[in-house]
Amino acid sequence: MTEARARLIEEESKTYRVQGFSCAGCAKTFEENVKHLDGVSDAQVNFGASKITVTGTVSKKELEKAGAFESLQLRDEHEKAAPRIPFWKQKTTIKVYIAIALLLMSFLADYMVEEGSMLPLMLIILSILIGGYTLFIKGLNNLIRLKFDMSTLMTIAIIGAAFIGEWIEGAIVVILFAISEALERYSMDKARQSIASLMDIAPNEALIRRAGKEMLVNVDEIEIGDIMIVKPGQKLAMDGIVVKGISTINQAAITGESVPVTRSVHDEVFAGTLNEEGLLEVKVTKRVEDTTIAKIIHLVEEAQSEKAPSQAFVDKFAKYYTPAIILLAALIVVIPPTLLGGEWSEWIYLGLATLVVGCPCALVVSTPIAVVTAIGNAARNGVLIKGGVYLEEAGALRAIAFDKTGTLTKGVPTVTDMVTLNGEEAKILSITAAIEKGSQHPLASAIMRKAEESGLDFHAVQVEEFQSLTGKGVKAKVNDVQYFVGSPALFHDLHKEIESSIHDHIIQLQNAGKTVMIIGTKNEILSLIAVADEVRGSSKEVIQKLNQIGIDTVMLTGDNRRTAEAIGHQIGVKNIQAELLPEDKLTYIKGLREQHHRVAMVGDGVNDAPALAASTVGVAMGGAGTDTALETADIALMSDDLSKLPYTIQLSRKALKIIKQNITFSLAIKAFALLLIVPGWLTLWMAIFADMGATLLVTLNSLRLMKMNDNE
């Protein structure tokens, strides 16, 4: 494909929201129908998010015509949805009411009219046609195409029941299947509400000041650089930077944390968060489609289209299972009457019951409802899971590795001790800060902050021949003297041996959980600077919870072993790996995967990228503040806090458990019902009750995930 053609197709892609999907099979049929339309080069349906992306030139009217078999309605992706019609008032539900009423009327007519009247039969036929109209259209179309799915099985069964004179049972099968489909649609809509609720978080309008005038503006018309005025009690409509005012902001909608945070000038704020106290003026920094909440919604919806391994298994299984059921039913109908002298009507009836009980409804919905519900629940609680595959992988994790700095600790190191061994403290600190200006290491900023707090003008110090010594420190010349700033290991290499009193002092500081840096020359050590990174308040509790649920916790750090062990033991990490270079972390993660198979790496989504990529599940913290974390991580914790990690593991484990329960139960109930064929006990009534009952129980079981929160 040429670049021009690829660009043209990309420009013609458009996404619509779809209303009316009753099942995953219907979504697949709609996708196929759209792909066959003139002018369409490709179409992708996201059943979980109820969306279709069409590549090509086609009108909305033509798309709706392709979905006429299901009475599908389309709207533009950002168009506001029409008010939701209650379940009991929807067309599909009303159709069931009418079918039931006609069936009851047929029973009544049977008693009231004279024998031989056609009225009861006509009412039953009318009940079947009204209750199963859309089913028959789909089923007959599938039969013509030799496509075998649930609609095909039910259509054959109902036509067969009518053929052998079992009109009443045929009507009951139609009604119960229609009820089953309506309940499936209802449950899927219920699961999608987790995502729909995210869309309503941010207001559609904001008070904007332009050219000295204040005006209410729709979010689509707000531009980057506009000043947004947010009064107390109002939600923010856009992402931005505070330029005036101070207030507390409730960020629960984004991060899942209900404890408000203080925001003042220069602080970042997000659309959908609640301004609780003060008046704020916010400079808009992103368009409405690029806000953090918009990205979350987009990524969650895309996550739903990523099939979980169990869902892929079910889809593949159903592909072969359905034709196998049809073949089994055909054998039941043909073999006993032809070879064993059985009654044709009796074995045709059992064959039809086999078709009904073999319908894979429960099996097909066993996974997607659970996945959509779990991902939606996680998003509401400030955790972004990027797909069903990561949901399942997180539930099967056996080890989690944590980057220390900025993950288990706050990532803002401060100078706690300065031990001057030779020379003036102020002079040495000035030289050290001047050299560290060229370093990107977090400890360098701690030294520069200490120099600034001490009122030292280290910027005036001339530094020459600056060079970074990977993993050990830096060196540079000041006033023609070459200085080294780095770890004790660097000075072991330089001096071969460190004086015992200095060595004892270093160990004392390291045992207190501090990182020690040495400043000196090739010949002497001038000073020791101890830096500590404060442990996060939640780290100990999080590690304790993970240890309790059987997760092997590991801390990876480039810091020295004594400091690492002091922090690791403080928070309760089982396995501490220190003095690691970035490539060492990658190697360790690979080894951990060989040992445990499923391993997560937790970092900030920017550093330690190779290790994050090598893990089974990469977990990034602070997703609300960094686009990188949102884009690169498999799971993003929206708050800059680990407290949501145990909840995520527990939710994933529960989802995995429910999916396994659903698949096992669906197959077991089918197997049990099919065994009833042997003694000839299986009836159409039993078959449809087994199918509908299994579908309903599987659905209700999946919806239990909606109620799970981070207190469980």
Side-chain angles (χ1 to χ4, degrees):
M1 184 186 289
T2 63
E3 279 188 34
R5 174 66 177 153
R7 207 162 37 244
L8 179 65
I9 289 174
E10 190 179 342
E11 286 170 3
E12 290 172 348
S13 289
K14 187 164 184 184
T15 301
Y16 299 91
R17 296 202 175 271
V18 186
Q19 190 175 331
F21 280 143
S22 63
C23 64
C26 309
K28 191 68 182 170
T29 302
F30 178 52
E31 181 180 278
E32 291 300 319
N33 289 352
V34 172
K35 282 180 178 178
H36 287 99
L37 291 175
D38 290 338
V40 174
S41 58
D42 192 24
Q44 295 290 328
V45 167
N46 181 335
F47 175 60
S50 208
K51 296 198 302 187
I52 183 169
T53 301
V54 183
T55 305
T57 51
V58 65
S59 68
K60 192 193 295 184
K61 191 175 180 181
E62 287 175 292
L63 292 172
E64 287 184 338
K65 193 175 177 183
F69 70 94
E70 187 83 339
S71 303
L72 300 178
Q73 293 179 315
L74 275 71
R75 70 177 197 275
D76 290 341
E77 187 177 17
H78 299 294
E79 186 182 329
K80 197 171 181 180
R84 187 178 292 275
I85 301 168
F87 173 67
W88 58 88
K89 288 184 180 180
Q90 291 175 11
K91 285 181 183 177
T92 50
T93 316
I94 292 169
K95 184 177 69 174
V96 174
Y97 299 155
I98 296 169
I100 292 171
L102 288 167
L103 184 60
L104 293 174
M105 285 167 64
S106 76
F107 292 150
L108 192 61
D110 202 30
Y111 287 104
M112 294 180 66
V113 299
E114 59 188 45
E115 195 174 337
S117 171
M118 293 295 290
L119 182 60
L121 181 59
M122 296 303 293
L123 288 169
I124 291 171
I125 292 170
L126 204 56
S127 172
I128 290 173
L129 289 174
I130 290 173
Y133 172 75
T134 53
L135 168 66
F136 297 142
I137 296 293
K138 284 186 279 185
L140 291 170
N141 280 335
N142 287 345
L143 273 173
I144 293 165
R145 297 177 188 173
L146 294 178
K147 180 183 175 184
F148 300 106
D149 64 5
M150 290 175 285
S151 302
T152 317
L153 293 183
M154 298 306 289
T155 302
I156 295 170
I158 294 158
I159 292 171
F163 178 74
I164 61 173
E166 297 287 350
W167 290 99
I168 292 175
E169 293 212 26
I172 291 172
V173 168
V174 165
I175 289 166
L176 291 177
F177 185 74
I179 291 171
S180 178
E181 275 204 321
L183 287 171
E184 190 181 330
R185 183 187 283 110
Y186 170 75
S187 61
M188 202 66 201
D189 284 345
K190 194 84 174 165
R192 288 190 188 110
Q193 280 176 20
S194 299
I195 311 306
S197 62
L198 288 176
M199 296 177 191
D200 298 330
I201 286 173
N204 292 322
E205 294 180 320
L207 188 63
I208 297 293
R209 183 188 294 129
R210 284 180 186 163
K213 292 182 180 179
E214 293 181 5
M215 60 192 84
L216 208 58
V217 179
N218 188 284
V219 288
D220 291 325
E221 297 167 15
I222 296 175
E223 297 172 0
I224 294 173
D226 279 342
I227 300 299
M228 177 173 65
I229 298 164
V230 190
K231 297 174 183 177
Q234 287 185 337
K235 282 187 176 181
L236 281 76
M238 307 289 283
D239 284 11
I241 301 290
V242 177
V243 292
K244 188 177 180 183
I246 183 169
S247 182
T248 54
I249 301 286
N250 188 326
Q251 299 190 141
I254 304 291
T255 65
E257 297 299 322
S258 56
V259 179
V261 293
T262 302
R263 290 290 179 260
S264 57
V265 178
H266 303 311
D267 285 336
E268 187 177 15
V269 287
F270 307 111
T273 56
L274 177 67
N275 179 23
E276 292 195 338
E277 293 176 355
L279 180 71
L280 291 178
E281 291 189 12
V282 177
K283 185 179 180 181
V284 175
T285 55
K286 293 177 183 175
R287 296 273 301 161
V288 65
E289 62 270 19
D290 297 323
T291 60
T292 301
I293 189 68
K295 283 191 174 181
I296 292 169
I297 293 166
H298 173 72
L299 290 167
V300 169
E301 289 186 333
E302 290 306 306
Q304 293 176 9
S305 67
E306 292 288 328
K307 287 188 177 178
S310 56
Q311 191 175 346
F313 158 75
V314 166
D315 289 349
K316 192 173 181 180
F317 181 82
K319 183 181 175 182
Y320 299 103
Y321 167 83
T322 310
I325 286 292
I326 292 175
L327 180 61
L328 176 63
L331 293 173
I332 288 169
V333 169
V334 174
I335 290 175
T338 55
L339 299 181
L340 305 173
E343 289 286 333
W344 277 98
S345 59
E346 181 186 338
W347 288 100
I348 288 173
Y349 181 87
L350 280 171
L352 297 176
T354 303
L355 285 180
V356 174
V357 81
C359 184
C361 289
L363 191 62
V364 170
V365 301
S366 60
T367 303
I369 293 180
V371 169
V372 170
T373 306
I375 289 174
N377 182 324
R380 284 203 325 274
N381 282 281
V383 179
L384 180 60
I385 301 174
K386 301 285 276 292
V389 61
Y390 304 116
L391 177 72
E392 288 198 18
E393 292 287 10
L397 287 174
R398 289 292 169 265
I400 300 179
F402 296 86
D403 177 38
K404 178 180 76 71
T405 307
T407 303
L408 294 171
T409 62
K410 291 182 177 178
V412 185
T414 53
V415 174
T416 57
D417 303 84
M418 185 156 180
V419 183
T420 306
L421 302 168
N422 198 346
E424 299 174 24
E425 182 177 304
K427 180 184 175 184
I428 293 171
L429 183 57
S430 291
I431 291 170
T432 308
I435 293 170
E436 289 287 17
K437 270 171 62 180
S439 173
Q440 298 296 315
H441 199 279
L443 299 183
S445 57
I447 292 170
M448 288 188 285
R449 275 197 305 275
K450 175 70 175 175
E452 285 170 355
E453 288 166 9
S454 302
L456 303 174
D457 185 17
F458 63 90
H459 298 286
V461 178
Q462 295 295 314
V463 177
E464 298 173 329
E465 298 179 24
F466 175 88
Q467 186 181 341
S468 177
L469 306 170
T470 307
K472 293 183 178 179
V474 294
K475 66 177 181 178
K477 278 189 176 180
V478 176
N479 297 328
D480 290 329
V481 177
Q482 188 168 62
Y483 292 92
F484 293 83
V485 182
S487 65
L490 172 63
F491 282 83
H492 269 292
D493 292 345
L494 286 171
H495 297 175
K496 304 304 178 189
E497 190 177 351
I498 294 177
E499 190 179 316
S500 60
S501 59
I502 298 174
H503 184 262
D504 292 344
H505 211 136
I506 290 169
I507 289 173
Q508 185 184 345
L509 292 168
Q510 288 177 342
N511 287 340
K514 298 171 183 179
T515 300
V516 179
M517 298 175 71
I518 300 177
I519 303 92
T521 65
K522 273 190 176 181
N523 303 315
E524 62 179 337
I525 291 175
L526 301 172
S527 181
L528 306 179
I529 297 181
V531 178
D533 183 4
E534 191 180 344
V535 173
R536 289 181 184 273
S538 61
S539 292
K540 187 174 181 178
E541 186 184 354
V542 167
I543 297 297
Q544 188 178 5
K545 283 182 179 178
L546 292 173
N547 288 337
Q548 284 172 354
I549 61 175
I551 298 285
D552 189 11
T553 51
V554 182
M555 183 176 81
L556 306 180
T557 179
D559 217 336
N560 71 81
R561 178 155 297 281
R562 286 192 179 85
T563 302
E565 285 179 350
I567 292 172
H569 292 143
Q570 182 185 339
I571 60 178
V573 175
K574 287 183 181 177
N575 193 339
I576 300 158
Q577 297 296 318
E579 299 173 0
L580 301 177
L581 297 173
E583 57 267 29
D584 297 329
K585 291 183 182 181
L586 175 60
T587 304
Y588 188 80
I589 288 290
K590 286 179 178 176
L592 208 57
R593 279 195 71 169
E594 286 178 15
Q595 181 185 346
H596 293 286
H597 301 298
R598 289 181 172 88
V599 176
M601 172 73 189
V602 186
D604 62 5
V606 182
N607 298 326
D608 300 314
L612 281 165
S615 61
T616 317
V617 180
V619 182
M621 287 174 57
T626 60
D627 290 342
T628 311
L630 280 178
E631 297 296 339
T632 60
D634 303 322
I635 295 176
L637 309 178
M638 303 310 291
S639 62
D640 194 21
D641 190 350
L642 283 173
S643 60
K644 295 291 178 182
L645 190 57
Y647 152 79
T648 305
I649 303 300
Q650 296 281 48
L651 174 71
S652 302
R653 285 186 176 182
K654 191 169 184 180
L656 203 54
K657 186 178 176 182
I658 282 174
I659 288 168
K660 286 176 181 175
Q661 287 172 354
N662 288 349
I663 293 172
T664 304
F665 177 73
S666 302
L667 293 174
I669 200 78
K670 301 290 180 194
F672 176 74
L674 289 172
L675 286 174
L676 296 178
I677 296 168
V678 179
W681 296 345
L682 185 64
T683 66
L684 280 172
W685 292 46
M686 287 181 189
I688 191 63
F689 269 118
D691 179 66
M692 191 182 81
T695 303
L696 187 58
L697 287 172
V698 159
T699 299
L700 292 174
N701 196 33
S702 297
L703 291 178
R704 287 195 298 132
L705 289 164
M706 290 187 81
K707 294 184 178 179
M708 187 172 172
N709 56 50
D710 58 357
N711 294 321
E712 292 187 29

